Amino acid sequence: MAAAAAGRGPGCGPGDSPEGPEAEAPERRRKAHGMLKLYYGLSEVEAAGRPAGPDPLDPTDLNGAHFDPEVYLDKLRRECPLAQLMDSETDMVRQIRALDSDMQTLVYENYNKFISATDTIRKMKNDFRKMEDEMDRLATNMAVITDFSARISATLQDRHERITKLAGVHALLRKLQFLFELPSRLTKCVELGAYGQAVRYQGRARAVLQQYQHLPSFRAIQDDCQVITARLAQQLRQRFREGGSGAPEQAECVELLLALGEPAEELCEEFLAHGRARLEEELRSLEAELGPSPPAPDVLEFTDRGGSGFVGGLCQVAAAYQELFAAQGPASAEKLAAFARELGSRYFALVERRLAQEQGGSDNSLLVRALDRFHRRLRAPGALLAAAGLAEAATEIVERVARERLGQHLQGLQSAFLGCLTDVRQALAAPRVAGKEGPGLAELLANVASSTLSHIKASLASVHLFTAKEVSFSNKPYFRGEFCSQGVRESLIVGFIRSMCQTAQNFCESPGEKGGATPPALLLLLSRLCLDYETATISYILTLTDEQFLVQDQSPLTPVSTLCAEARETARRLLTHYVKLQGLVISQMLRKSVETRDWLGTLEPRNVRAVMKRVVEDTTAIDVQVGLLYEEGVRKAQSSDSSKRTFSVYSSSRQQGRYAPSYTPSAPMDTNLLSNIQKLFSERIDVFSPVEFNKVSVLTGIIKISLKTLLECVRLRTFGRFGLQQVQVDCHFLQLYLWRFVADEELVHLLLDEVVASAALRCPDPVPMEPSVVEVICERG
Amino acid sequence: MEDDAPVIYGLEFQARALTPQTAETDAIRFLVGTQSLKYDNQIHVIDFDDENNIINKNVLLHQAGEIWHISASPADKGVLATCYNKTADGKVVTCAAVWRMPAELEPGGHESPEDAASPAHALELLCHLGPAAHGSTACVAWEPAGDGKRVISLADNHILLWDLQESSSQAVLASSASLEGKGQLKFTTGRWSPHHNCTQVATANDTAVRGWDTRTMSQIYCIESAHGQLVRDLDFNPNKQYYLASCGDDCRVKFWDTRNVTEPVKTLEEHSHWVWGVRYNHSHDQLVLTGSSDSRVILSNMVSISSEPFGHLVDDDDLSEQEERSQEPPQDSVIATYEEHEDSVYAVDWSSADPWLFASLSYDGRLVINRVPRALKYHILL
């Protein structure tokens, strides 16, 4: 309604405004009044009764509060005509009459009501009086009750306090009773073995006892308790020590002991000592397995047992320890670490011993599996006891074993190679007894090469197991990098090739230079083997290795070319040595033949000396032998009948040219001519010169050495006429047969010429034989 | 440098025997013995005039036979010993004799060699070293430091010690020893050690080198198979008493410490054929000369096993330590290879007068006189 009034207010405002300013002011004032009336809740009906009614302050309003009869009458008299006045007067009279009657009715009615009200009030008056009396009585009674109540309270006060006190005493007594009973309870608990209960009791009582220990009786209890507790502790320890029960019970014991307030440190020690005892037991059993008895369980079983027994035990101990003594600070952790380290190292020592026993074996897969188990097993305690460095140590052991394994493979390869060589030697020695020469040298070479290669491959394959994906340690940096590059490639493969070369070279330096130590064929074979390695095998093996072991390491690797160069050098040395050796054999033969003969008193030559035939035979044999393994090589162009042609030059014209002056008395001519002729051969003959890898070069070397020896020996002797002729015959024979072996036949001629020339010089009576006779003798021989 | 150029002298005959005139310490003089079966053999006395680079020769006739070995007395310039071949009854025997050179040839009594009218002087025989009963004499060695009265000769498997008496006109066999063993043992060469008061002699037979005590004539050491093949020559280090060099048909030169003969101290393998001669320089024992039948002469610097392994330290003590240290220890090396010869070189030797000069002799009769390279000489001296 207020809202409606408010809405109406503004709505009227604009509508009234044209009435002018003088009409506006009272309108606004009335509106404000309306609002106030609204505020004070004056009836709307009253307001609506005279909606557009006259001003309530209008003194002419009959119903208004400010009605002034004089004004109203004046107004009527002034404004109304008589008729209207008359009407008004009659209306007024009628109204007065109506009002009078109404008033009479009202008075009547209200009178009755008033009478009844008066009666009621009278009755009430009486009732109240009665009630007042009762109230008074109640008040008195209440006072009495209060009085009584206070009195009772006063009397009961005393007793209440006593009861409270008694209750307190009761509780105390119960506690005391507990305390007094404590020893016996504890004893009972201890007897029953309910250690946990006992420890709880003890824990509850301890503080009290501690507090009242100055009282003798408590002291006694405390003492008793202490004794019992000590016994308890002792029993616990006893139980702890007996150790028949497993680690969890142990842990319980320790927990109880800790609760008993035993010194943690000592317990640590004991706990560890106990753990040690058990683990040592394990170690002992492991050690027993290691024992000297040969049928030890295989390495896999061993590491398994070690893993489950020792490592498992160690894990338990460590876990329990950490749980129990976690609160004891870093010192205890340190202790545990030391404990684990010590036992771990002993375990490792055992494992290493076992693995060392395994080193002889060849089954790599088993070993790798065993190592894998071992390594895997140790990861758990490794995580638990990072400080003890067990995992690292285990990795180290695995690495060491791997390394040793590599070394072993290297040795194996070396010994296999040596074995091959021994076989070859036997094969070389045996047929000689049977009388056959050169028994398939090429096959022997192929055998050696293939068996060596297969050994290398087998080694690579078995070493490869270490890097297999499923093996737990294969992703360690060592196995990813160093093992592959330094281990397998460098020390195993490169090492083997090097040692092979070294072994081969050692044959060159054997002191038995008289040829007994090493069969020359072996040298030849080895030389070829090294050469083959240089050309193909080395790069093949290394490629194979690099492929199998993806070598990622950055460390410097031996390049293939270096190895090849080494192999080639070895091959060259071997071949050179072969040449020297064979040359020496023939040289010795020639030397003996020249030194032991009496050249002065010899008879006219009828035959070529047997030695020369032997020399040719041997040279042929060597030629065949070398031909089995080495290519022919290049020789200087020659005609098919070169031997004849050069022979004629050598034995007739040159011979005459050289010997003729010797008949003249001019001695200087002789030597000058000799040196002049020599100057023609501008090229100096390097006797022990390096050889090339072909047959001709090898044979040339051998023949050069032999003929030079012959020359030097001839120069040391003095010849008779027939001695000279014998030399002539011999040289011609050599000439006939040796030219075909060498690269440059001129060389043979030259050397043989010089031999004959020297022999002529060493002859006081040099009468050379007729060349035709020489030829005849040679052809007959 | 002109000075470093070799001086070559040609003989008419083949020759194997070369020795410096040991007793001569002023003039550079070498004695060369020829080998000729048909003509009278000669001993060429070759004087080298260092300043003018000129060779003067005197020829002495040695009619007894071809000379295989020659050695000069360390005490008397005019006395020398030769081993020579004598052919008798279709047999060749090598004998040894001590000779005296004609007085005119001795310094001071210089006679013009162009005086062709007078025939070549002959040697005066002093004495034969014993009857040939002992066999062919391979080598004669004079007592190095003595008065030229004691001589060792090696005949087949005998080692004979002679006392020369009455101004060398008589040789008396003082003592002897012989090598017993399987097969025909023959001494090939021998050297008298200048150390131990000249009581040791080393000999070579086949591949073995043996040491002998001349007082008891007993063996004191033996290097079995010192070389792979025949041992051709020996020499003692003049400054280190236990060091011995040997060479042989295995193309190697080996250096031994006679106190430990199982392993050579050092081995050289520079030659490509038999090594016929090895000589230590008389004063600077790091210089070792070898001659071989590959026609080469090689001069090596064996500093590491010489008596002056770090250069000569004696006078350098005043020098600052740093300077000493900064110098790398010199390495063993080949100093030079001389290729003037065209035939096998059978003998090499140092001059007794000039320690920087040496001669080599090849079979074709060519004698080459060379010097140690000047740079090395100064390096050693300074």
Side-chain angles (χ1 to χ4, degrees), chain A residues 508-566:
Chain A
C508 299
E509 277 143 24
S510 55
E513 289 199 42
K514 293 196 169 167
T518 326
L522 181 65
L523 290 175
L524 194 65
L525 188 138
L526 281 173
S527 150
R528 184 68 219 192
L529 184 69
C530 288
L531 195 64
D532 286 347
Y533 264 73
E534 189 252 335
T535 49
T537 318
I538 286 179
S539 67
Y540 169 69
I541 293 173
L542 284 186
T543 315
L544 192 72
T545 314
D546 289 351
E547 273 169 11
Q548 278 194 13
F549 300 86
L550 297 163
V551 177
Q552 306 155 333
D553 208 22
Q554 299 305 315
S555 54
L557 299 174
T558 316
V560 177
S561 56
T562 316
L563 275 184
C564 283
E566 278 174 34

Side-chain angles (χ1 to χ4, degrees), chain A residues 205-272:
Chain A
R206 186 164 47 200
V208 181
L209 289 173
Q210 198 72 30
Q211 197 178 347
Y212 293 104
Q213 67 183 14
H214 56 280
L215 299 177
S217 52
F218 284 106
R219 165 84 50 106
I221 292 170
Q222 193 185 16
D223 290 348
D224 277 359
C225 280
Q226 271 172 353
V227 168
I228 293 166
T229 310
R231 216 170 65 220
L232 174 64
Q234 204 153 2
Q235 279 195 11
L236 277 174
R237 283 186 190 209
Q238 185 66 31
R239 199 167 141 216
F240 174 58
R241 267 185 216 119
E242 275 165 11
S245 35
E249 286 174 47
Q250 293 254 319
E252 191 195 329
C253 284
V254 173
E255 201 174 353
L256 294 178
L257 282 169
L258 271 178
L260 280 179
E262 293 286 314
E265 201 139 310
E266 197 180 309
L267 280 175
C268 281
E269 298 280 357
E270 270 195 50
F271 185 73
L272 287 184

Side-chain angles (χ1 to χ4, degrees), chain A residues 558-576:
Chain A
T558 316
V560 177
S561 56
T562 316
L563 275 184
C564 283
E566 278 174 34
R568 191 178 180 83
E569 172 64 16
T570 308
R572 198 191 57 70
R573 285 188 59 177
L574 282 166
L575 199 60
T576 309

